[in-house]
Amino acid sequence: MGAEPLEIHLDDQDIVRSLGHDVRVGLTAEAKWLPPRWFYDARGSELFDEITRLPEYYPTRAERAVLAERATEIADLSGAKTLIELGSGSSEKTRLLLDAFTRRGDLGTFVPLDVSIDALRASTARLAADYPGLRVRGIVGDFTRHLDRLPTGGRRLVAFLGGTIGNLLPDERAEFLARMRAALEPGDWLLVGTDLVKDPAVLVPAYDDAAGVTAEFNRNVLRVLNRELGADFDPEAFAHVARWDPDREWIEMRLRAERPMRVRVIDLDVDFAAGEELRTEVSAKFRPEGIAAELAAAGFRAERFWADPDGRFGVSLARA
Ligand code: AVJ
């Protein structure tokens, strides 16, 4: 059947407009910040793939262990005909689900949605080649903005893996889950992966690896700003910071200006004091009871929760 042409809801103009908006809001704020979605250009998506193979970065392996064990159960319980994956990236772990659905002879369509057109092009081509008979409909879009563009009809399972839901702030997360629920019909399912609260001695190195790949990934957002908005950041003048916030139970990635700087972005002069930090990502860690409560508050029925044997990462299956 092969991959269909990508459906593009985020074109270059959109990207520049919405990146410009985020820069105006985030870089003029008292405490500077940028949303993490801008990491994922072609290079950023590659760096993230590299992160998933680092010894310190356990979430990908832990989630894969859960999916390997539960994929058949997920396919049986949901009986889905369409698998939609939000923030799909390379869709590597999703193959475990595709294999289980294929064994049932059930799945008709796979719909990966991602902000990175390059990552999607590569993954849809590979998947179409490896799963003959599967209809692959890639959507270039942002899961916080384009939930209304998901295909309707048939029983759907929406997979939101990797712990990416943790990149949303608590109020954004509640809004996202409510909108997700509204986009689904009774009988549809949501599968969501969440990294779990654990010892900061394990958490922090996962976001500050010895090889410095995460530091490069973090600085990549400045390269994106330079390219897309003609900014003049010197990425090397920013140090990578990963910090555990024990009250909010999240990891923050920051970029710390190593000297005073004035950076030109669009029509803004952005001043950094020496040592000033720019927050580039929040990655929330969860407790099982908290996840269940958030799903219920959004109108989902949490049916299953599985963690890997070391209790590092959880996967929840909920019914709309
Ligand atoms: C893919 C968003 C889940 O938050 O762990 C990896 C991204 N950031 N290392 C995460 C990330 C730094 C990752 N998510």
Side-chain angles (χ1 to χ4, degrees):
M1 212 148 297
E4 299 186 5
L6 296 180
E7 206 175 294
I8 299 178
H9 297 302
L10 265 182
D11 59 22
D12 287 348
Q13 236 186 8
D14 262 324
I15 288 174
V16 168
R17 196 179 316 119
S18 108
L19 178 58
H21 169 266
D22 289 352
V23 159
R24 276 179 206 289
V25 173
L27 295 189
T28 61
E30 177 67 29
K32 295 184 177 65
W33 68 286
L34 286 169
R37 69 169 70 83
W38 302 112
F39 288 130
Y40 299 94
D41 66 343
R43 170 97 182 111
S45 297
E46 275 169 27
L47 284 166
F48 176 68
D49 279 344
E50 213 177 306
I51 288 174
T52 64
R53 295 188 289 270
L54 292 169
E56 297 96 333
Y57 194 76
Y58 62 86
T60 307
R61 283 183 295 276
E63 184 177 52
R64 186 183 296 122
V66 177
L67 293 177
E69 195 172 325
R70 302 297 177 175
T72 304
E73 202 174 335
I74 293 165
D76 287 345
L77 265 171
S78 70
K81 302 279 177 271
T82 300
L83 174 62
I84 298 169
E85 185 179 15
L86 306 180
S88 50
S90 69
S91 291
E92 260 332 297
K93 284 165 296 180
T94 318
R95 286 170 179 259
L96 295 164
L97 296 174
L98 291 172
D99 291 340
F101 280 102
T102 308
R103 280 196 298 274
R104 279 178 56 99
D106 236 16
L107 191 64
T109 309
F110 176 52
V111 185
L113 178 145
D114 202 272
V115 287
S116 173
I117 188 167
D118 307 279
L120 261 186
R121 267 212 197 97
S123 69
T124 53
R126 280 195 303 265
L127 288 167
D130 294 347
Y131 295 87
L134 181 67
R135 191 171 164 209
V136 181
R137 282 181 66 177
I139 303 182
V140 180
D142 178 335
F143 55 72
T144 63
R145 287 173 52 202
H146 299 119
L147 290 184
D148 56 335
R149 318 288 168 87
L150 300 178
T152 55
R155 186 175 295 189
R156 295 172 295 172
L157 169 65
V158 175
F160 194 25
L161 301 175
T164 302
I165 194 169
N167 284 170
L168 302 175
L169 296 169
D171 54 332
E172 294 173 333
R173 215 155 67 213
E175 190 193 333
F176 167 81
L177 285 172
R179 285 176 31 204
M180 188 72 253
R181 175 63 191 81
L184 296 179
E185 306 279 347
D188 289 337
W189 294 77
L190 176 67
L191 183 71
V192 51
T194 45
D195 197 10
L196 301 177
V197 173
K198 63 183 63 62
D199 188 344
V202 176
L203 278 167
V204 172
Y207 291 83
D208 192 6
D209 61 281
V213 181
T214 307
E216 267 319 298
F217 173 74
N218 196 3
R219 283 191 280 264
N220 190 58
V221 72
L222 302 181
R223 302 205 163 88
V224 169
L225 263 51
N226 285 351
R227 191 187 59 238
E228 298 296 334
L229 301 178
D232 59 0
F233 278 99
D234 174 6
E236 300 313 317
F238 287 83
H240 171 66
V241 176
R243 200 172 289 138
W244 171 243
D245 181 329
D247 301 316
R248 293 185 282 195
E249 297 192 320
W250 68 42
I251 288 274
E252 283 191 11
M253 290 209 309
R254 294 162 168 268
L255 288 167
R256 189 179 62 231
E258 294 295 76
R259 50 176 169 85
M261 274 176 273
R262 168 164 291 185
V263 179
R264 184 81 183 166
V265 198
I266 325 174
D267 55 353
L268 306 169
D269 284 316
V270 183
D271 287 314
F272 287 86
E276 185 175 349
E277 293 179 349
L278 159 63
R279 189 182 79 195
T280 52
E281 183 179 66
V282 157
S283 190
K285 307 307 166 192
F286 295 81
R287 297 174 184 273
E289 57 281 12
I291 302 161
E294 289 187 31
L295 287 169
F300 284 100
R301 284 192 287 162
E303 299 275 354
R304 295 282 190 283
F305 174 83
W306 304 288
D308 65 300
D310 303 319
R312 291 174 299 177
F313 197 95
V315 176
S316 303
L317 182 62
R319 192 197 287 262

